[in-house]
Amino acid sequence: MTSSNTDCHYCLQSLRGRKYALREENAYCVSCYDSLFANPCEECKQPIECDSKDLAYKGRHWHERCFKCAKCSRSLVEKPFAAKDELLLCTECYSDEYSSKCFHCQKTIMPGSRKMEFKGSSWHESCFVCQYCRQPLGTKPLITKDNENYCMPCFEKQFAHHCYSCKKVITSGGVTYHDQPWHKECFVCAECKTHLSGQRFISKDEYPYCVDCFSKLYAKKCAACKKPITALGGPKFISFEERQWHGECFNCAKCSVSLVGQGFLTRQDDVLCHECGSA
């Protein structure tokens, strides 16, 4: 501005015909205004005079000519930029120096673009997709296999085991029986439905049975004690003419001496040692 009827508020010299600046309705000559109010430039440290454009960012000031990228020196006036350790950088330089690289495509994730974080790695949103159907995963539940991510439906179609009993997907754990996968909760006795995971059981016609049920349904009965003969009761048993005995039960019916490995005689349903059988 040029004044014709006032004096400088600070030095009181006439402003008639001279340039001046206003501050809080007071007029100052250019020299007084710059010495009193001009901000120092962050780049060149010189005052930003009243006839220069003052560019400010977070309480700091620059001449228009000094407002540039700290690395490549390109002007940042009316352009996007980023700040790092009090340095101003254009988006390209900032990306080269500090931005994350996408785990999938290994390209820079530019500032301002949406970034996905998963297992300590960063992804472009467009790269964070199901390996099979290629649909964005976003925040959906997912499963990783061989460093590839899959949405739950695709993983189940491609890789998940289905329970032999209920046919539903086994998402964790499980039991393998006859080369078939089972849920732990589905692996039960075919007769009484007792859970068998971690328990002793016996197989019959591809189905598992607890020891008690198998013994009741299928095990042969000892001719002496009438209790079931099972492999779990011990490996030794005696078989003779469609009758079986526990090893410890195969005794002379008269004197009770063990007949295991000995010759014996039969009389009706009894087995006898030679001495008792000959008496």
Side-chain angles (χ1 to χ4, degrees):
M1 289 185 181
T2 302
S3 174
S4 59
N5 55 1
T6 188
D7 297 332
C8 173
H9 184 71
Y10 185 73
C11 68
L12 302 180
Q13 292 187 19
S14 174
L15 297 176
R16 185 171 297 176
R18 299 170 60 191
K19 290 182 178 181
Y20 69 95
L22 290 175
R23 184 180 178 89
E24 297 177 355
E25 298 185 357
N26 294 317
Y28 296 84
C29 66
V30 171
S31 177
C32 288
Y33 184 90
D34 288 343
S35 64
L36 292 172
F37 305 116
N39 295 303
C41 174
E42 289 287 329
E43 177 66 19
C44 69
K45 311 305 180 186
Q46 299 299 313
I48 303 173
E49 299 88 350
C50 63
D51 58 352
S52 299
K53 185 178 288 187
D54 185 333
L55 301 181
Y57 174 72
K58 290 188 175 181
R60 297 187 294 159
H61 300 264
W62 289 262
H63 291 105
E64 187 175 13
R65 65 179 181 276
C66 296
F67 194 62
K68 55 190 178 182
C69 174
K71 185 176 181 183
C72 69
S73 299
R74 283 184 292 183
S75 174
L76 299 177
V77 177
E78 297 183 357
K79 293 180 181 178
F81 63 90
K84 181 69 175 179
D85 300 330
E86 297 190 354
L87 298 177
L88 302 185
L89 300 167
C90 64
T91 54
E92 290 83 357
C93 290
Y94 182 88
S95 298
D96 291 341
E97 290 289 328
Y98 304 108
S99 289
S100 303
K101 297 291 190 298
C102 175
F103 182 83
H104 178 72
C105 70
Q106 295 301 309
K107 294 181 180 179
T108 298
I109 301 175
M110 298 296 289
S113 61
R114 190 171 183 186
K115 179 173 67 173
M116 309 303 296
E117 298 281 349
F118 180 64
K119 289 187 175 180
S121 297
S122 301
W123 307 65
H124 290 112
E125 186 178 22
S126 58
C127 291
F128 194 59
V129 299
C130 171
Q131 178 67 18
Y132 186 73
C133 68
R134 312 307 299 175
Q135 294 300 307
L137 290 170
T139 57
K140 298 176 184 176
L142 62 92
I143 297 178
T144 299
K145 179 178 174 62
D146 299 329
N147 288 328
E148 299 290 356
N149 300 320
Y150 298 85
C151 64
M152 291 295 289
C154 287
F155 183 85
E156 291 176 0
K157 289 177 185 177
Q158 296 298 305
F159 305 109
H161 295 296
H162 290 75
C163 177
Y164 183 78
S165 176
C166 70
K167 311 305 180 186
K168 294 181 180 179
V169 171
I170 300 173
T171 56
S172 63
V175 175
T176 299
Y177 170 68
H178 280 190
D179 294 325
Q180 297 291 347
W182 302 60
H183 289 114
K184 286 184 178 180
E185 58 271 22
C186 292
F187 190 61
V188 297
C189 173
E191 179 66 17
C192 70
K193 307 306 178 185
T194 298
H195 288 274
L196 296 178
S197 180
Q199 306 297 320
R200 296 191 300 176
F201 64 91
I202 301 174
S203 175
K204 173 71 174 176
D205 298 330
E206 296 188 358
Y207 287 96
Y209 293 84
C210 67
V211 175
D212 289 342
C213 287
F214 183 86
S215 298
K216 292 175 184 177
L217 293 171
Y218 302 110
K220 297 182 183 298
K221 303 297 190 295
C222 175
C225 70
K226 309 306 180 185
K227 293 181 180 179
I229 298 174
T230 68
L232 296 174
K236 293 182 178 181
F237 70 95
I238 311 300
S239 180
F240 176 72
E241 293 184 349
E242 298 185 356
R243 290 188 293 167
Q244 290 80 31
W245 292 261
H246 293 110
E248 63 272 19
C249 294
F250 191 56
N251 303 321
C252 175
K254 187 174 182 181
C255 70
S256 300
V257 67
S258 174
L259 299 176
V260 177
Q262 306 298 321
F264 61 91
L265 301 173
T266 61
R267 182 182 296 165
Q268 296 179 349
D269 290 336
D270 292 334
V271 289
L272 302 166
C273 66
H274 279 291
E275 183 178 345
C276 292
S278 300

